Amino acid sequence: MSDKNQGLNDRLERKKRVQRIKTGMLWLLITWMLALMLISVTLIAKVHSLQEQIDIITENTIRSQQVDQQENQAPNDDQDQAEVQIYDTAAENDGGEDGQILPADAVHANQTKISVKSAETMQEDSGAEKKEEDVRKVYLTFDDGPSRNTEKILDILDQYQVKATFFLTGREDNAALKLYQEIAKRGHTIGMHSYSHKYDAIYKSEKAFKSDLKKIQERILEATGQKCSLYRFPGGSSNQVSNTDMRKLIRILNDKKITYFDWNVECGDATSHSYTVEELVDNVMKDVVKYHTSVVLLHDAFNKSKTVKALPVIIEQLQAMDAQLLPIDENTKVVQHVSAESVED
Ligand code: ZN
């Protein structure tokens, strides 16, 4: 009898042991799966972040190459600005007090005699709207977003009740979708800054440029319901890295009635020189005083936290000098390094 009981107990014990082992294995499996999922997510995030870094480094490299070229071509130039140099239209027009900024490359390399008059200098020629010009207009523009800094930038702009312009690139993830919508919802102007932001790809041919343009226009339409007709060329309209004649690409935009904007003031957050927050502010302030209409180049990118820190100070200083901070709209005087009107149909 007791033997029978013993046997029963043994069987029960064994059953329990097997059960325990099974449970243990199940937990082990679950833990493994969770760990694997965690590792995958981390790796995906890492890859994404690395891709962003590669893009930024590529842009920085191209920019510093441009600067190097400028320095080589104009070794005795007094102007020691890293990115752009003042091209004094006053010297040619005798009268205009505003110089026009464009990269020295554009001046030196454009043997093709591209007209580089901005709408602003043309306006001055005609002498119209003198009163309007007494008001200093500043257009803050943010390139390369959306990014993990977009939300912070939007909050700062809200805090100071300032509307700005975002030149956006293409992203498909949900976080980006929300940011596209948030930028539109909060009343800022949306412009295109190419879908891929890869110079090699966009500037490979007219066809490649057109297809990238279509993609970013569709992405913004899909996300915000806006048909965007505002563009900023990656590297600007006078960039020297495009494999395609920029005038051909300008013609494409002209045909589609898309207006492109370059800039005449930059904070320097995309140059190879790593400016401090104070220097970023100073870079903007020292150039803004030169123009009635300033289009300021800033970046909305994951690694531009100094720009985010500089932004409130820039806004406060601009507001202190009674500048109007505005989003780009159809009435904004265009600032273009290579004028759209200089490109014939
Ligand atoms: Zn860019």
Side-chain angles (χ1 to χ4, degrees):
M1 199 64 153
S2 69
D3 275 1
K4 226 176 180 179
N5 272 343
Q6 189 61 43
L8 205 67
N9 278 342
D10 282 354
R11 266 212 308 280
L12 270 173
E13 227 10 85
R14 208 173 317 138
K15 228 177 173 177
K16 275 185 189 164
R17 234 180 5 249
V18 170
Q19 197 58 43
R20 270 204 301 275
I21 291 169
K22 271 186 184 169
T23 316
M25 278 169 71
L26 194 69
W27 274 113
L28 199 70
L29 200 70
I30 290 170
T31 317
W32 254 108
M33 278 167 71
L34 282 174
L36 279 175
M37 266 165 70
L38 204 72
I39 290 167
S40 307
V41 169
T42 317
L43 282 176
I44 289 168
K46 268 255 154 63
V47 167
H48 191 72
S49 149
L50 279 174
Q51 187 57 51
E52 276 186 327
Q53 282 189 42
I54 288 168
D55 290 350
I56 303 287
I57 289 164
T58 312
E59 189 167 10
N60 286 348
T61 312
I62 288 164
R63 279 170 169 275
S64 43
Q65 277 169 358
Q66 283 179 315
V67 173
D68 288 348
Q69 275 176 25
Q70 277 173 236
E71 279 164 2
N72 289 341
Q73 283 170 356
N76 299 323
D77 204 314
D78 292 333
Q79 315 255 10
D80 58 351
Q81 293 178 41
E83 275 296 290
V84 290
Q85 295 180 8
I86 306 294
Y87 178 64
D88 193 1
T89 48
E92 286 183 3
N93 294 343
D94 63 69
E97 57 174 279
D98 269 2
Q100 182 186 0
I101 277 185
L102 83 173
D105 278 354
V107 182
H108 296 294
N110 284 333
Q111 287 113 349
T112 40
K113 290 202 178 68
I114 290 168
S115 154
V116 287
K117 262 188 165 184
S118 74
E120 178 160 1
T121 50
M122 284 185 229
Q123 187 101 44
E124 276 174 7
D125 288 349
S126 70
E129 286 183 37
K130 270 276 175 266
K131 253 202 161 148
E132 262 281 283
E133 287 188 353
D134 293 340
V135 183
R136 208 180 285 288
K137 292 180 177 173
V138 179
Y139 297 86
L140 299 179
T141 67
F142 296 89
D143 283 13
D144 298 358
S147 81
R148 71 178 69 153
N149 278 324
T150 309
E151 194 81 49
K152 291 179 201 156
I153 292 171
L154 288 173
D155 287 346
I156 294 168
L157 293 171
D158 274 0
Q159 191 191 329
Y160 289 93
Q161 296 181 312
V162 166
K163 303 285 181 228
T165 304
F166 289 79
F167 288 100
L168 302 170
T169 57
R171 266 176 58 182
E172 295 298 332
D173 54 292
N174 256 335
L177 174 69
K178 280 195 190 125
L179 291 170
Y180 288 130
Q181 292 168 342
E182 203 57 31
I183 293 167
K185 203 177 93 188
R186 300 208 204 174
H188 303 289
T189 297
I190 289 180
M192 301 171 278
H193 187 47
S194 83
Y195 187 91
S196 74
H197 201 271
K198 292 187 170 61
Y199 288 56
D200 286 357
I202 309 159
Y203 294 140
K204 202 171 90 187
S205 63
E206 286 176 78
K207 197 173 160 222
F209 180 79
K210 267 188 194 169
S211 115
D212 179 274
L213 175 67
K214 188 166 178 265
K215 236 175 137 184
I216 185 64
Q217 201 171 32
E218 281 175 0
R219 181 71 188 114
I220 290 172
L221 179 65
E222 180 188 65
T224 66
Q226 290 183 16
K227 181 149 193 231
C228 195
S229 59
L230 187 64
Y231 195 84
R232 172 165 285 157
F233 287 106
S237 63
S238 62
N239 81 78
Q240 299 295 307
V241 291
S242 175
N243 293 320
T244 310
D245 182 351
M246 285 304 289
R247 286 169 306 168
K248 289 184 176 165
L249 307 185
I250 288 171
R251 197 170 296 132
I252 290 171
L253 296 188
N254 285 352
D255 287 348
K256 292 182 185 294
K257 307 255 180 295
I258 293 172
T259 310
Y260 61 93
F261 269 78
D262 291 308
W263 56 90
N264 54 6
V265 174
E266 59 183 309
C267 71
D269 62 355
T271 57
S272 48
H273 183 88
S274 177
Y275 289 107
T276 63
V277 172
E278 291 73 27
E279 285 170 333
L280 293 177
V281 175
D282 290 347
N283 287 342
V284 172
M285 297 315 294
K286 77 172 164 46
D287 277 350
V288 156
V289 292
K290 297 175 186 161
Y291 308 101
H292 292 299
T293 298
S294 293
V295 177
V296 183
L297 175 66
L298 302 147
H299 286 84
D300 166 13
F302 81 104
N303 62 345
K304 305 287 181 208
S305 51
K306 279 196 272 184
T307 309
V308 177
K309 286 191 187 125
L311 185 59
V313 192
I314 291 172
I315 294 174
E316 277 168 25
Q317 294 196 9
L318 288 171
Q319 287 181 338
M321 60 191 264
D322 281 335
Q324 274 187 6
L325 286 122
L326 302 163
I328 290 176
D329 65 17
E330 64 278 8
N331 300 316
T332 308
K333 286 177 199 168
V334 289
V335 170
Q336 295 169 335
H337 298 163
V338 178
S339 153
E341 288 177 19
S342 72
V343 178
E344 285 136 37
D345 296 332

